Amino acid sequence: MQPPAPSTGLDLLFVWHFHQPHYAVEGGDEARLPWVRLHATKSYYDMAWMFMRHGSIRSVANFSGVLLEQLAALVEGATDRWERLTATPPEQLSGAERSFIIRHFFSCHWERCVRTQPRYAELLALRGEQFDEAAVGRFNAADLRDLQLLFNLQWFGFGATADYPLVASLRSKQRGFDAADIAAVLGLQREVAVAALAMWRALIARGQVELSLTPHGHPILPLLIDSDAARIALPHAPLPQPAMRAPADAAHHIRTALAWGEKSFGVRAAGMWPAEGSVSPAAAEAFAAEGLRWIASDDEVLQRSARPDGAWEEQRCRPWSTTTARGSLNLFFRNHELSDRIGFAYAANAAEDSARDLIEGARKLGAASGLARPLVTVILDGENAWESYEQDGFLFLEALYGALAAAPGLQTVTASEALATHSADQLQALHAGSWISASFRIWIGSEAKNRGWELLIATREAFAAAVVSPEVSAEAAAAARRALDRAEGSDWFWWYGDDFDSQMDEEFDHLFRGHCRSVYTALGLLPPLSLEEPVVAAPLPAQLPNHPIGLGEAQLDGRDSHFFEWRDSSAIEVIPRGAMNLAAPVFRTMRLMRGRPGLYLRLDGETASASVARSVVCRLTDDQGVESSLRIAEGAEEAQGAWQHCVELLFPLRPEAARVGLFLEVSEGAIVVQRWPLSGLAWFDLPRSSWFV
């Protein structure tokens, strides 16, 4: 057998992927997390800046539709909670807000971003590596103001630092910042975001960068089409039943992403990187049906796909094609090893050594293929990896792009250029899997992940049943569809279970269930109480005091009708406790009393009227799943409750009920300002009495 002939050249295809899940609940006033705004000033700007600097380097830039949607909102003035807290003078911060800032405004790579800045490192030492509430008392107003600014400042990358003198000026200042400095930084963030998008538009327009997209909400498309597709790689895994089967949603995500790509950059993308490189025969058909020319996945998926006989070394260095009922579709398969070296290994090594290793590795793959002009494909996240690199990846990218430009016989290409010069071989059957283990195990198959899918499936079924009603307006259906797009994203399922830890799993769970709830509320439906229970965390326990609950009745007038009215009730503090709760509580105490008509509930706390309309919603379920919900507006007196000096409500209750779970929300206008408990339901054992016999 003759050894493979050495290649005479090498094409290298890079696909850099950019994505963030939707951090704002439909109908809400602000995003809960800041990562779109902060990555815009770092990796989204830096990566475009590097292509501007190295005009001979060609590549694909891949954006999820939901990221483009959020970037558009950002430049139009959308805010997030972290930005609002940055802009708030320290003297005006509540205790909970001070705690939130001190806990979370070190959310970055400590070795690269905190300890390299003397004042930032000093503030971390003041707090301690492990946060505790005692640290809050150690920060004065000047410390807090410096922390507000330094956290935001460190998220400006090397490109913005080079182009905007304010960044370097404030870094050299280090301390003693004032409100004008903070306002300048927040203003610059949007300016940089606008400039980043403009650079990408220019790069795409001149053909140096090819645009590709990920289906809009970043769903695992094969599972959205049929969640039983997971059985191909995981035949014995427990899966949610009934299964998710929403092929129409898959088509919607593809079309919506294409529309956002065209709106953002003025061109229609020819290809897509499916979320997490997730493919299946049904997903390939969905992509082909929308006229896409190519998609991409991982070479471990290629290994498990049925293909003609041939050497693996040759097969991994060419594009492929699959035939579907809606037409043919080309596929690129990322070189798993080289892609992961950039994502997970090179940050710990010298930039020049890493660049040399990547190019040598690509050349070895090409030589082993025996092809005259092999194609090596590298696909990875274009934002998160750089936080671990020295100088946010500048040294590595500078070394890599410089070496690529100078390397004889090697050229970088876009995906469309690769298809024009490389013939695609035909797959016999495409495997169903992702870039991780050629399966979908990260997103389905465990108890927590399946629980999330069950909630999503129920939400999707409610959506499908409601939107056909003539009573649902087009505007309401569109709002519900936007919320469902966000809930169908892959990110929530990534964080459920034990595979990964975001340090903010509670927030991701809150967002997922919030997106699901928004589907119901947009359609005028009452969300099920199952969406109040955290997917992973156990329900917050709550027990009534041991003394007996009085058997009497209260007058529902929102006032102290007489001294003995609530004497035998049980009192529970309802001040929210938790890192994510920032608002001052409206109510401090809840009283419960079982009476002949049902369960009486009273709330006491702030009596001064707010400048906007306030209301309380309380929802309750008993141990048999019988639910009830009451809403009362401030100043109202109704048959089931009143809010005057206090809130008094009466819930119907079955005489045999032994246990109830409930939660309450207080709103000012459309904004929820207090929730108790912070998540899930508070459960109470109800004592029985012969009075009910």
Side-chain angles (χ1 to χ4, degrees):
M1 181 177 179
Q2 294 294 321
S7 63
T8 57
L10 176 67
D11 286 344
L12 194 54
L13 169 61
F14 285 97
V15 180
W16 300 106
H17 173 56
F18 305 104
H19 163 67
Q20 292 292 327
H22 212 302
Y23 294 121
V25 173
E26 175 66 26
D29 65 328
E30 63 182 11
R32 290 183 66 88
L33 292 172
W35 308 124
V36 172
R37 173 174 56 90
L38 298 179
H39 279 287
T41 60
K42 185 168 278 197
S43 49
Y44 305 157
Y45 192 93
D46 286 349
M47 292 296 283
W49 190 86
M50 288 301 293
F51 285 123
M52 288 289 189
R53 182 177 174 90
H54 294 272
S56 66
I57 302 300
R58 307 177 75 75
S59 180
V60 173
N62 186 89
F63 295 86
S64 67
V66 73
L67 173 60
L68 294 177
E69 179 186 355
Q70 291 179 95
L71 285 170
L74 173 66
V75 300
E76 291 168 6
T79 61
D80 60 74
R81 177 171 48 173
W82 299 46
E83 181 181 15
R84 172 170 52 83
L85 292 177
T86 298
T88 303
E91 298 81 5
Q92 297 176 21
L93 293 167
S94 69
E97 290 169 337
R98 291 166 60 93
S99 176
F100 184 96
I101 289 171
I102 295 167
R103 178 192 292 268
H104 293 295
F105 276 37
F106 295 96
S107 296
C108 55
H109 195 287
W110 285 3
E111 295 304 320
R112 300 293 191 194
C113 303
V114 177
R115 294 197 167 102
T116 55
Q117 301 181 57
R119 175 58 168 158
Y120 208 2
E122 177 186 322
L123 292 171
L124 178 60
L126 181 64
R127 189 198 80 163
E129 293 193 1
Q130 297 297 321
F131 172 82
D132 64 77
E133 290 295 335
V136 178
R138 297 194 289 270
F139 278 69
N140 59 33
D143 296 329
L144 279 165
R145 190 177 293 107
D146 286 356
L147 179 57
Q148 288 170 314
L149 188 135
L150 288 169
F151 170 68
N152 285 272
L153 189 64
Q154 75 84 22
W155 279 95
F156 286 94
F158 53 77
T161 301
D163 290 346
Y164 297 90
L166 176 65
V167 177
S169 174
L170 290 175
R171 281 188 178 143
S172 64
K173 183 175 178 179
Q174 279 290 310
R175 67 178 66 236
F177 301 111
D178 57 26
D181 293 328
I182 289 177
V185 164
L186 295 180
L188 185 60
Q189 287 175 337
R190 275 179 177 72
E191 185 178 342
V192 171
V194 170
L197 287 169
M199 280 195 290
W200 285 115
R201 276 192 291 270
L203 289 162
I204 291 166
R206 72 192 193 194
Q208 181 183 347
V209 169
E210 178 179 350
L211 171 68
S212 70
L213 300 163
T214 294
H216 185 68
H218 205 266
I220 302 298
L221 216 66
L223 299 182
L224 195 59
I225 295 170
D226 183 355
S227 56
D228 284 346
R231 293 203 187 281
I232 300 300
L234 305 169
H236 305 298
L239 297 178
Q241 295 298 325
M244 169 67 88
R245 292 194 174 94
D249 288 18
H252 166 80
H253 281 277
I254 296 171
R255 293 174 194 145
T256 305
L258 287 168
W260 271 105
E262 201 157 358
K263 178 179 179 180
S264 301
F265 303 113
V267 299
R268 181 177 174 85
M272 285 195 171
W273 164 252
E276 309 295 353
S278 297
V279 296
S280 69
E285 182 175 327
F287 287 116
E290 299 306 322
L292 287 159
R293 191 179 178 204
W294 63 267
I295 61 172
S297 187
D298 188 85
D299 63 9
E300 291 187 356
V301 172
L302 175 61
Q303 276 189 308
R304 299 189 63 172
S305 298
R307 57 196 190 279
D309 292 338
W312 171 244
E313 292 78 9
E314 181 266 337
Q315 291 182 338
R316 71 194 305 198
C317 289
R318 64 161 61 249
W320 288 83
S321 178
T322 187
T323 301
T324 80
R326 301 300 299 273
S328 63
L329 185 70
N330 295 299
L331 296 100
F332 297 99
F333 293 96
R334 74 192 279 270
N335 185 277
H336 191 96
E337 181 181 358
L338 288 186
S339 300
D340 282 3
R341 284 185 199 175
I342 300 175
F344 307 115
Y346 286 157
N349 298 285
E352 292 80 5
D353 293 343
S354 296
R356 186 183 309 109
D357 180 81
L358 183 72
I359 293 173
E360 289 177 355
R363 287 197 185 279
K364 288 178 181 177
L365 289 167
S369 73
L371 295 170
R373 189 84 193 179
L375 173 71
V376 174
T377 301
V378 174
I379 305 176
L380 72 151
D381 187 321
E383 51 190 290
N384 293 310
W386 310 126
E387 296 173 35
S388 300
Y389 277 73
E390 188 177 359
Q391 295 185 32
D392 296 321
F394 170 75
L395 297 178
F396 169 73
L397 290 170
E398 181 75 358
L400 176 63
Y401 289 169
L404 288 171
L410 190 156
Q411 67 178 6
T412 54
V413 295
T414 67
S416 293
E417 289 169 343
L419 291 175
T421 55
H422 294 264
S423 60
D425 209 345
Q426 182 70 31
L427 287 176
Q428 296 164 341
L430 177 64
H431 176 67
S434 74
W435 76 272
I436 300 179
S437 305
S439 77
F440 303 122
R441 66 175 180 81
I442 295 299
W443 303 276
I444 200 168
S446 71
E447 181 179 356
K449 298 176 195 295
N450 289 351
R451 175 61 180 148
W453 277 101
E454 289 164 0
L455 294 174
L456 179 60
I457 291 165
T459 300
R460 206 273 171 189
E461 290 176 347
F463 169 83
V467 293
V468 298
S469 169
E471 298 179 0
V472 175
S473 68
E475 293 79 7
R481 179 69 257 183
R482 289 192 296 271
L484 186 59
D485 288 349
R486 300 169 190 183
E488 289 177 340
S490 68
D491 302 81
W492 326 118
F493 302 95
W494 176 281
W495 297 117
Y496 286 141
D498 299 327
D499 301 291
F500 305 103
D501 179 13
S502 69
Q503 303 298 313
M504 290 186 176
D505 289 1
E506 176 187 334
E507 274 289 87
F508 283 98
D509 177 52
H510 181 97
L511 278 164
F512 168 67
R513 291 182 293 109
H515 292 320
C516 290
R517 283 195 299 268
S518 292
V519 176
Y520 290 89
T521 56
L523 296 168
L525 303 174
L526 190 65
L529 281 172
S530 56
L531 288 173
E532 301 300 331
E533 296 280 8
V535 169
V536 176
L540 179 69
Q543 296 293 328
L544 289 175
N546 291 327
H547 64 75
I549 299 172
L551 303 176
E553 297 183 15
Q555 185 174 337
L556 300 177
D557 57 6
R559 301 177 178 88
D560 287 313
S561 301
H562 56 84
F563 177 76
F564 297 103
E565 183 180 22
W566 289 87
R567 182 185 64 177
D568 294 325
S569 64
S570 296
I572 302 99
E573 184 185 81
V574 292
I575 300 174
R577 309 289 186 187
M580 296 301 172
N581 186 73
L582 303 181
V586 176
F587 297 106
R588 294 182 172 275
T589 304
M590 176 177 70
R591 293 181 175 274
L592 293 176
M593 179 169 64
R594 190 167 192 174
R596 192 182 297 270
L599 183 70
Y600 288 99
L601 180 149
R602 170 173 167 154
L603 296 170
D604 290 284
E606 178 61 55
T607 57
S609 295
S611 58
V612 296
R614 296 194 293 195
S615 62
V616 174
V617 173
C618 186
R619 296 186 62 188
L620 177 145
T621 183
D622 69 11
D623 45 348
Q624 296 302 310
V626 179
E627 297 184 12
S628 54
S629 177
L630 293 175
R631 179 187 182 278
I632 193 75
E634 187 172 17
E637 290 190 42
E638 302 172 3
Q640 295 298 112
W643 183 353
Q644 297 295 333
H645 301 308
C646 63
V647 171
E648 293 177 321
L649 301 172
L650 173 62
F651 289 90
L653 194 66
R654 298 177 305 114
E656 63 271 24
R659 200 163 183 257
V660 294
L662 62 83
F663 79 91
L664 62 91
E665 285 183 343
V666 186
S667 298
E668 293 182 356
I671 308 304
V672 175
V673 296
Q674 181 178 355
R675 189 194 194 280
W676 188 86
L678 279 175
S679 62
L681 306 179
W683 285 90
F684 300 92
D685 294 327
L686 298 178
R688 302 296 303 275
S689 169
S690 59
W691 186 70
F692 291 103
V693 176

